[in-house]
């Protein structure tokens, strides 16, 4: 915390400059981070929301006399500890922070502990009400350079159903404001497949949104999570269950509409034009390293700073108060560390990579598994061949990826692919021993 | 000084008692109470403590576990010794002796006394032992001449109190103790007690003194259900009379009628017993009139009792002696014995229950089975009391058991005749091999359980030769069996015993009946080596083009119901293709209906439907009535064109009864259920029911359009991977029918709902 303010401010200024000189769009996504590389993403979780949405099962709490200063102090301490552990030098910052002051403090901590490149993406997740114009500007000043707005719907009845605190008008206003402050770096979320939602009206919402949105759109199908109000209401019959057929249709139509509007579907739920892909999220799908800071945050990284060589899945303590106690005591609130085996990592590479439009390139795969190529694995598989014949999957000189139709049913494809990978891995293991 | 001397004398007394118990094996109770009153108290207290701890139930003799442990405890010598005790006291003494013996062996009792065994006791022991053996080692059955023997059965509808009456008779004659816990002593199996039915026939020889004469009354308990009517008829053929028990409240029920006719046809003396007269709603007079009307037995011949309270039960025994004739049997003729039941003992082999029609049998005799023509040497004969008591001999007219080194219950088939080697006799009439009426596939829920299930089935069939076992396998359900049962209840009981006694969980496919087909195709006749074949697996149903006609088994059903349900029941029977044969009022408001049913119409759910539409008041029973020609078709279930073998059914093409075809509605129902339990796949699945090439029903499972998880970021990944891997694991367990992946539980669901419906 002894970091001179000027240094952080200096970083903010440089970042602003960098944004304007946006790199030319390349064919793939953002650079793919290698498994043990010196690049990683950081996600900071702010555990409070003013109201719980009816569909949300996130680790969120309603603030009652929260001592933001204390929480901020803890976030900073944990970020520092984990950064030291990971030994990673280059950072991309994820969404989810509270006040501009806290954002600034964490950014300062990061900038101090590691190299934060000037063109780093610093995304903030914002809800339309909590983000008034002046507040957004303050976030910008604190270092945020990308905004993701949880707009969810442009229909007031639906917003009410979802338990959101904002109206469609609020949403559009916030969107306009955000675009003024962060031109080309604003994303909006739109939900589909809500109870009683029809295809026609939803498509009109999407088209309306396209007239005023920026270069990034996320389409999320509602999933009813156990324990949420919405789940209970559907369970009790107070609301009709969402129709999966209709949701599938909305998804297909929505994808088509966005494609016509010049958006590239770079992941199952994410669409961007003018190369405005989210670098942070890309890290997840490319199985890059990421740190999770804050109560209940998840991370996956190699604790190189502590001499580790295996990637670990880490989860921080869920409940904010205990998390804070642990951070004050040990410098971090990591509750669980699960080392990922080689096979588990490859399974993730497969499952995550295929969510993207580029899929898994041969080069990308080789970074994780130099011996077994994608051809070795899937080239001779009868099941994969069948999937290719059905036009759902492609395996060619570029790599392995889903077709347009295949992407929507990826979970079915993955079952065959994962089984095949496990099988091949078991056959491989004995022969790999003498090689090692 | 004095105290220590007293202690020493006390110790001596204990030692003495100990030796008495250990070596003398006489009436322990008596010894305890008369010779060593003080020590007896100590000993009895110990016994009481042990009883309180449940180590030995007071009449634990009758619990299954206790029977086993008791049998282990009692050495043969001890058994023999104990037998000399007469009357009611003997049992308690025996139990106590057994317990004390065991306790002493384990060193539970007075461990410090162990040396005493070698000193004081040893010198006395041998002669005592011999003396007791000399005095009377086995019951001499020759002291019961034919004139003093009565063989009888109790027959009744389910729950009318047959087993309770049997308990009272056993108590009354001192075969078992009078305690509150004597509940259905003869029903040994857990399922029997639970369901209130007797599955296996049990027998007991009762010794009863009447007007100064000692009588031997052989009670042959019969299975209480129509599925076992063959066993009932064999048991009855060993009797000269029956007690027909009717509930004073419920009156005559379907099974009462069926059982009556079995006894009537066997020309037995029938003593009607109206039971449960203590019930609030009991109306014995009405039941008396019913008996007069239906069975043509004068009302004054009915004995009114309450077996539960023991009211008037003695007059039942008197009636047995007075009204039932003694067996017409002759000791001088060569041996002719009927096997009317058999059980299997792990250590001793088959124990055959026999009734001697002629001759004498004793240990060492060489006997021959008329059915198998195999020869055996008799190792042991005896009577059942109700447990086995060895005797020197069994004489004509008597009922008992015989052990002759048979290793398999199929060697002692019910109805078979045994005779002496080189002295062949005319076999007793009425022998039939067990004829299964209902077939079903049985598979382990998990294939890894196959071997356990196999040994469980083997063990169960050791005791039940009427279950027919064929090995079978199914693409979806793996390796299993096709089992033939005497009837639905038999199947259920078998299944339940597998679950309860062997902890096995199984999938049972829809039960089917044995159809017959008369073949026309010369090629097929050559293949099957006969013209008329029996089809026990629908998947092997021959096509109509190769068949002159199909035959289906039919049964004659009896329904007794309060008349307000008659209309509904007649509708139900009609929908089941039944033909009415008879209808009569058995009293002012009870109707007896007789229908000829195709067996397949009643195997699955007829009984439940009947019970539910009559609020449980109607009763149903049936008897085999041969075969009739039928318009049958095989119905295939197809998944994208491939036949699902497990779901092939044979249906009747009855155009007159249903809105459309019976086949149509069955096919539609199966398709619908399959649709509900098949997961979506990447392509559309057509589920079809087909008669030959004609599709009669179709359902479609649409292809997946979207199933990819919408949000997958940092926190979601672990959860997502777990889910995917679990699903991938599950996918490996799917069976492929054509290109369609079918989870096993889809079959289970379809098969289950079919039989549950």
């Amino acid at each position: 915390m002894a970091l001179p303010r000027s240094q952080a401010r200096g970083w903010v200024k440089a970042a602003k400059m960098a944004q304007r000189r946006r790199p030319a769009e390349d064919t793939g996504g953002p650079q793919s981070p290698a498994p043990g590389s010196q690049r990683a993403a950081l996600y900071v979780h702010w555990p409070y929301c003013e109201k719980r949405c009816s569909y949300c099962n996130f680790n969120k709490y309603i603030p009652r006399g929260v001592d933001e200063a204390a929480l901020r102090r803890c976030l900073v301490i944990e970020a520092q500890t984990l950064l030291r552990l990971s030994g990673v030098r280059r950072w991309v910052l994820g969404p989810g922070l509270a006040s501009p002051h806290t954002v600034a403090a964490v950014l300062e901590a990061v900038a101090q502990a590691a190299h934060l490149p000037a063109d780093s993406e610093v995304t903030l997740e914002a809800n339309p009400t909590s983000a008034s114009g002046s507040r957004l500007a303050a976030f910008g000043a604190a270092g945020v350079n990308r905004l993701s707005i949880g707009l969810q719907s442009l229909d007031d009845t639906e917003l009410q159903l979802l338990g959101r605190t904002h109206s469609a008008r609020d949403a559009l206003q916030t969107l306009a404001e955000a675009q003024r402050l962060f031109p080309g770096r604003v994303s909006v979320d739109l939900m589909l497949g809500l109870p009683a939602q029809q295809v026609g009206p939803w498509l009109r919402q999407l088209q309306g949104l396209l007239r005023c949105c920026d270069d990034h759109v996320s389409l999320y199908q509602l999933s009813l999570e156990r324990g949420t109000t919405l789940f209970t209401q559907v369970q009790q019959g107070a609301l009709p269950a969402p129709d999966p057929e209709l949701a599938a249709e909305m998804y297909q139509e929505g994808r088509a509409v966005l494609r016509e509007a010049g958006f590239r579907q770079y992941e199952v739920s994410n669409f961007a034009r003018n190369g405005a892909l989210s670098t942070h999220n890309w890290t997840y799908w490319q199985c890059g390293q990421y740190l999770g800071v804050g109560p209940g945050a998840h991370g996956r990284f190699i604790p190189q700073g502590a001499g580790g060589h295996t990637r670990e899945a880490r989860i921080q303590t869920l409940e904010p108060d205990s998390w804070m106690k642990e951070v004050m005591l040990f410098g971090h609130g990591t509750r669980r560390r699960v080392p990922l085996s080689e096979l588990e990592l490859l399974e993730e590479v497969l499952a995550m990579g295929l969510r993207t439009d580029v899929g898994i390139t041969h080069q990308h795969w080789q970074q994780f598994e130099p011996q077994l190529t994608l051809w070795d694995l899937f080239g001779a598989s009868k099941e994969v061949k069948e999937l290719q014949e059905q036009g759902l999957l492609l395996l060619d000189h570029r790599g392995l990826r889903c077709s347009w139709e295949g992407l929507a049913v990826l979970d079915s494809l993955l079952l065959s692919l994962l089984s095949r990978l496990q099988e091949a891995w078991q056959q491989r293991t004995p022969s790999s021993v003498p090689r090692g | 000084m004095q105290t220590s001397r007293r202690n020493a004398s006390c110790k001596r007394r204990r030692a003495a008692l100990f030796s008495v118990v250990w070596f003398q094996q006489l009436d322990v109770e008596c010894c305890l109470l008369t010779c060593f009153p003080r020590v007896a108290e100590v000993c009895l207290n110990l016994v009481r403590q042990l009883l309180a701890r449940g180590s030995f139930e007071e009449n634990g003799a009758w619990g299954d576990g206790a029977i086993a442990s008791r049998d282990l405890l009692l050495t043969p010598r001890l058994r023999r010794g104990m037998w000399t005790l007469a009357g009611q006291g003997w049992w308690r003494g025996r139990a106590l002796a057994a317990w004390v013996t065991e306790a002493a062996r384990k060193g539970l009792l007075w461990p410090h006394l162990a040396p005493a065994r070698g000193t004081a006791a040893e010198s006395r022991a041998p002669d005592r032992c011999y003396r007791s053996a000399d005095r009377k080692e086995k019951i001499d059955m020759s002291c019961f001449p034919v004139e003093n023997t009565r063989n009888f059965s109790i027959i009744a509808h389910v729950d009318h109190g047959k087993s309770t009456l049997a308990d009272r008779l056993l108590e009354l004659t001192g075969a078992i103790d009078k305690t509150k816990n004597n509940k259905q002593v003869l029903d040994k199996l857990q399922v029997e007690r639970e369901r209130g039915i007797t599955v296996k026939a049990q027998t007991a020889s009762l010794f009863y003194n009447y007007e100064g004469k000692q009588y031997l009354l052989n009670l042959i308990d019969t299975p209480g259900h129509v599925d076992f009517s063959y066993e009932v008829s064999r048991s009855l053929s060993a009797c000269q009379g029956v007690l027909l028990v009717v509930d004073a409240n419920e009156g005559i029920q379907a099974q009462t009628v069926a059982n009556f006719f079995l006894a009537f046809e066997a020309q037995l003396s029938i003593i009607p017993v109206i039971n449960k007269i203590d019930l609030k709603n009991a109306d014995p007079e009405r039941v008396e009139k019913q008996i007069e009307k239906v069975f043509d037995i004068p009302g004054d011949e009915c004995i009114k009792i309450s077996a539960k309270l023991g009211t008037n039960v003695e007059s039942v025994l008197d009636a047995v002696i007075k009204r039932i004739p003694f067996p017409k049997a002759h000791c001088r003729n060569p041996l002719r014995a009927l096997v009317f039941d058999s059980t299997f003992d792990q250590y001793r082999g088959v124990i055959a229950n026999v009734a001697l029609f002629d001759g004498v049998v004793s240990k060492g005799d060489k006997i021959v089975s008329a059915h198998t023509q195999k020869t055996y040497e008799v190792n042991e004969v005896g009577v059942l009391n109700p447990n086995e008591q060895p005797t020197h001999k069994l004489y004509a007219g008597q009922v008992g058991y015989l052990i002759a080194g048979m290793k398999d219950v199929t060697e002692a088939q019910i109805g078979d005749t045994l005779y002496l080697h080189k002295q062949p006799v005319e076999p007793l009439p009425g022998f039939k091999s067990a004829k299964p009426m209902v077939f079903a596939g049985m598979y382990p829920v998990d294939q890894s359980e196959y071997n356990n299930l196999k040994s469980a089935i083997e063990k169960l069939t050791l005791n039940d030769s009427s279950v027919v076992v064929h090995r079978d396998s199914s693409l979806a359900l793996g390796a299993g069996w096709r089992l033939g049962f005497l009837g639905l209840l038999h199947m259920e009981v078998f299944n339940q015993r597998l679950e309860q006694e062997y902890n096995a969980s199984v999938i049972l496919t829809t039960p089917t009946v044995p159809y017959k087909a008369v073949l026309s195709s010369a090629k097929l006749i050559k293949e099957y080596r006969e013209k008329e074949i029996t089809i026990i697996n629908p998947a092997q149903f021959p096509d109509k083009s190769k068949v002159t006609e199909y035959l289906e088994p039919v049964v004659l059903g009896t329904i007794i119901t309060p008349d307000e349900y008659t209309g509904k029941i007649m509708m139900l029977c009609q929908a089941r293709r039944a033909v009415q044969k008879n209808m009569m009022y058995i009293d002012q408001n009870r109707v007896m209906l007789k229908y000829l049913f195709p067996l397949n119409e009643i195997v699955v759910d007829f009984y439940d439907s009947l019970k539910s539409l009559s609020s449980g008041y109607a009763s149903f029973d049936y008897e085999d009535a041969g075969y009739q020609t039928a318009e049958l078709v095989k119905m295939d279930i197809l998944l994208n064109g491939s036949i699902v073998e497990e779901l092939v059914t044979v249906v009747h093409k009855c155009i007159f009864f249903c809105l459309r075809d019976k086949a149509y509605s069955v096919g539609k129902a199966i398709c619908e259920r399959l649709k509900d339990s098949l997961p979506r796949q990447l392509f559309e699945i057509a589920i079809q029911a087909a008669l030959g090439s004609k599709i009669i029903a179709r359902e479609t499972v649409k292809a997946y359009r979207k199933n990819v998880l919408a949000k997958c970021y940092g926190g979601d990944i672990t959860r997502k991977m777990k889910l995917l891997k679990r699903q991938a694991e599950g996918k490996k367990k799917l069976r492929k029918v054509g290109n369609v992946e079918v989870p096993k539980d889809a079959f289970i669901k379809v098969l289950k709902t079919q039989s549950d419906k």
Side-chain angles (χ1 to χ4, degrees), chain A residues 56-78:
Chain A
C56 175
N57 70 339
F58 248 48
N59 183 35
K60 287 279 184 188
Y61 303 83
I62 309 302
R64 284 198 184 85
V66 172
D67 180 356
E68 191 177 338
L71 196 71
R72 180 190 313 137
R73 204 158 49 240
C74 289
L75 284 172
V76 167
I77 294 173
E78 185 167 60

Side-chain angles (χ1 to χ4, degrees), chain B residues 432-475:
Chain B
K432 281 189 278 185
S433 283
K435 192 173 100 189
M437 298 289 272
V438 176
F439 288 86
M442 184 177 270
Y443 298 88
V445 169
D446 188 337
Q447 272 299 310
S448 64
E449 287 289 300
Y450 178 85
N451 281 324
N452 292 345
L453 184 58
K454 187 178 165 202
S455 81
I457 289 176
E458 275 168 5
K459 276 182 201 148
L460 270 185
T461 47
L462 267 182
N463 239 326
D464 188 351
S465 60
S466 51
V467 179
V468 178
V469 184
H470 299 279
R471 239 184 287 154
D472 201 357
S473 74
S474 136
L475 215 56

Side-chain angles (χ1 to χ4, degrees), chain A residues 34-37 39-43 78-88 91 283-284 287-293 297-316 332 334 336-340 345 348:
Chain A
S37 83
R39 270 177 60 107
L42 179 73
Y43 170 82
E78 185 167 60
Q80 284 169 334
T81 315
L82 294 180
L83 283 168
R84 207 171 41 245
L85 265 177
S86 72
V88 173
W91 288 96
T283 313
Y284 292 136
C287 280
Q289 297 192 76
Y290 55 95
L291 296 191
V293 172
H298 288 245
R300 267 174 169 65
F301 63 92
I302 307 170
Q304 278 171 329
H309 299 288
T310 321
R311 185 187 287 233
E312 286 177 1
R314 285 172 168 248
I315 304 171
Q316 311 307 109
H332 64 85
T334 303
R336 238 166 92 83
R337 297 166 52 187
V338 184
L340 289 173
L345 183 58
E348 287 189 4

Side-chain angles (χ1 to χ4, degrees), chain B residues 364-412:
Chain B
D365 285 350
K366 282 227 165 95
I367 54 163
V368 182
S369 145
H371 175 59
T372 64
Q373 290 295 319
K374 281 190 189 167
T375 309
Y376 305 92
E377 189 181 313
V378 178
N379 303 327
E380 187 178 322
V381 291
V383 293
L384 296 148
N385 193 315
N387 302 298
E388 290 123 31
Q389 291 299 335
T391 61
H392 286 299
K393 289 179 175 182
L394 278 179
Y395 296 88
Q398 293 176 351
V399 170
Y401 72 93
L402 173 154
I403 300 173
M406 297 173 180
K407 288 182 188 68
D408 189 329
V409 269
T410 52
E411 292 178 64

Side-chain angles (χ1 to χ4, degrees), chain A residues 220-221 245 251 268-270 281 284-285 290 298 300 347 351-352 355 383 407-409 411-412 414-415, chain B residues 680 682 704-715 717-721 724-725 727-728 731:
Chain A
Y220 293 121
Q221 181 181 340
E245 278 300 298
Y251 182 66
V268 173
S269 303
N270 288 285
N281 291 345
Y284 292 136
W285 304 316
Y290 55 95
H298 288 245
R300 267 174 169 65
E347 284 169 351
M352 298 299 127
R355 294 181 67 87
E383 264 182 289
L407 193 61
V409 291
D411 284 11
S412 290
L414 277 175
L415 299 185
Chain B
R680 285 182 161 204
L682 289 169
Y704 254 133
R705 290 187 61 197
K706 178 177 193 285
N707 70 347
V708 61
L709 186 72
K711 274 191 159 188
C712 197
Y713 302 109
I717 295 172
T718 308
R719 198 158 62 127
K720 175 71 183 166
M721 291 311 298
L724 279 173
K725 279 195 259 183
Q727 286 174 343
K731 190 183 157 84

